[in-house]
Amino acid sequence: MKPRTLPPAARALFAVLLVACPALIAGCAVRVPPVPRITMTPASGAASVARAGLVVRAEGGRLTSVLAFAGRDPVPGAFDPARTVWRSSWTLRPGTQYVVNAVATGAQGVTAQVAGRFRTLTPRREVAVASVVPYDGETVGIGMPIIVTFTRPVEDRAAVERALEVRGPAEGAWHWASSTQVVYRPRKWWPVGGDVRFIAHLAGVRAAPGTYGAADRSVAFTVGRAMISTVDTRAHQMVVRQDGRVAQRMPISAGMATTREYTTTSGIHLTMDKGNPVRMVSPGRRKGDPGYYDKLIDYAVRISNSGEYVHALDNLWAQGRANVSHGCVNVRPDQARWFYEHALRGDPVVVTGTTRALEWNNGWGYWQLSWPRWLAGSALPHAVAGTPSAAS
């Protein structure tokens, strides 16, 4: 049988298809976009890491998820606005294994995932929070400071101060009282009823060469009613106001002022603690010396470290008339009991009329410093002093 031949038109179309087909095939090829690249610092597998914080980055995509754990505890952190960088909020805990899982998404929904782990340095020396005033759950007065004492001297005060966070309803700042103690004070009185939370994100913070923070510490407290007492030593009167209203008027007797130690200090005191009774012994004197005394005093509320109290004493002849005490403010027993029962730690007691000023570091005399002088005791620039800071 004679083979069939294509018509001329069909042969021409077939020739065109042979030429065009490779181009059509090339045009139909699918281009797969590059996979995002995820990196973490410290790197996975690292050991004895001494670093301020954890950083996860994505190139060629956006981070959609970052989960990090220090042991079993989640690590807080935040993304940058572009979601290409995630940083831990605070420094890394020493001597701890960290596990990190991150996911990034790129063009056309292409995803990448990375999982890693590393271990932080176990330091030669550790520093911890020895104590915090006030205690957790306490209700305090409107002048209450936050006093943090450390177990070791702090050399890098700025690094430690950045790790101290105060969540509260008032502007405030830290002031270093010594190498082992730092104090937070609001610029003005705490608002009545405010809730305050202090968190020391100390774990992993380098406080001195070879010395790192051992653990975090947290304290929460509540501000009670506003109780402010004013003591006029010349008029021999003490007026107690609660939330602006006069609650008590008390005739008083203050320091006799024959010596410096027997002179009541003028200034803004804070109530510090109280006892019923409190043993009071004459300073610098022994039994048998002139002016020696050793007494148990009822309803005593301490207002300084130099032995000053508001307390009960049954010397009605002097109260409201003369200053005859050894430096304390004594009042009628029934009124002293009222003050004792109503006082919270951190209540302001403002004394006027004497020749001796209260030193800022005598007890809790921190309100004696003006705000600029208070800021001068911070290790951070004034614009950021006392505000929460994340690790960099």
Side-chain angles (χ1 to χ4, degrees):
M1 180 181 290
K2 185 177 180 181
R4 296 177 61 184
T5 60
L6 294 174
R11 290 198 299 269
L13 177 61
F14 184 72
V16 171
L17 290 174
L18 288 177
V19 174
C21 190
L24 289 172
I25 295 173
C28 294
V30 177
R31 290 188 177 182
V32 179
V35 177
R37 180 171 178 264
I38 304 173
T39 58
M40 52 182 278
T41 308
S44 181
S48 298
V49 171
R51 187 174 171 79
L54 168 65
V55 181
V56 179
R57 300 178 184 274
E59 297 179 12
R62 301 171 74 244
L63 291 166
T64 54
S65 172
V66 175
L67 296 176
F69 292 86
R72 296 183 177 182
D73 299 327
V75 177
F79 297 96
D80 69 344
R83 292 186 72 93
T84 58
V85 179
W86 180 95
R87 298 178 186 273
S88 61
S89 299
W90 307 101
T91 51
L92 303 180
R93 186 187 303 170
T96 303
Q97 178 169 277
Y98 280 74
V99 176
V100 183
N101 287 276
V103 178
T105 303
Q108 299 183 25
V110 175
T111 62
Q113 184 173 355
V114 68
R117 63 183 62 205
F118 60 88
R119 177 169 288 276
T120 53
L121 170 75
T122 299
R124 290 180 295 160
R125 293 181 297 275
E126 292 184 334
V127 61
V129 174
S131 65
V132 179
V133 176
Y135 58 76
D136 193 42
E138 185 173 359
T139 299
V140 303
I142 58 175
M144 188 71 192
I146 302 173
I147 305 171
V148 183
T149 304
F150 301 100
T151 56
R152 289 179 179 271
V154 173
E155 294 185 28
D156 193 341
R157 296 184 179 185
V160 170
E161 192 173 328
R162 288 190 195 97
L164 305 180
E165 179 184 9
V166 176
R167 302 174 186 171
E171 176 188 4
W174 293 98
H175 185 105
W176 288 86
S178 70
S179 63
T180 58
Q181 190 175 84
V182 65
V183 181
Y184 186 92
R185 196 203 87 186
R187 184 171 187 171
K188 299 180 180 179
W189 304 130
W190 291 110
V192 171
D195 292 321
V196 183
R197 186 172 188 86
F198 159 69
I199 308 171
H201 301 275
L202 193 62
V205 175
R206 183 181 179 275
T211 303
Y212 292 82
D216 296 344
R217 182 75 174 271
S218 177
V219 167
F221 60 93
T222 301
V223 182
R225 78 289 169 273
M227 189 168 98
I228 302 176
S229 303
T230 54
V231 178
D232 187 336
T233 61
R234 293 177 180 174
H236 315 296
Q237 293 290 323
M238 175 173 166
V239 179
V240 183
R241 292 178 173 83
Q242 289 185 337
D243 296 325
R245 295 185 177 184
V246 175
Q248 288 280 328
R249 296 185 185 272
M250 305 180 182
I252 62 98
S253 180
M256 63 181 73
T258 54
T259 64
R260 176 176 172 78
E261 62 187 338
Y262 289 164
T263 303
T264 305
T265 57
S266 287
I268 304 173
H269 305 70
L270 297 177
T271 53
M272 301 172 65
D273 57 45
K274 54 187 176 181
N276 181 40
V278 170
R279 185 185 180 190
M280 298 188 184
V281 182
S282 53
R285 289 172 173 78
R286 297 181 179 179
K287 191 173 183 179
D289 291 346
Y292 172 83
Y293 61 87
D294 184 346
K295 299 180 179 180
L296 292 177
I297 303 297
D298 294 335
Y299 301 114
V301 179
R302 183 159 66 103
I303 60 172
S304 78
N305 277 346
S306 56
E308 295 171 292
Y309 288 78
V310 177
H311 65 72
L313 197 63
D314 194 13
N315 63 340
L316 305 184
W317 63 270
Q319 291 163 1
R321 298 178 180 85
N323 294 324
V324 297
S325 83
H326 295 104
C328 292
V329 175
N330 63 66
V331 302
R332 206 171 66 209
D334 62 313
Q335 291 187 314
R337 178 175 179 175
W338 182 95
F339 186 75
Y340 178 93
E341 292 176 346
H342 286 79
L344 299 173
R345 290 206 296 175
D347 284 337
V349 178
V350 183
V351 179
T352 61
T354 74
T355 58
R356 180 183 174 186
L358 174 67
E359 302 86 355
W360 75 270
N361 55 356
N362 181 355
W364 297 348
Y366 308 124
W367 292 92
Q368 288 293 94
L369 296 183
S370 65
W371 187 242
R373 289 184 62 195
W374 185 259
L375 288 177
S378 168
L380 300 178
H382 296 173
V384 297
T387 60
S389 302
S392 59

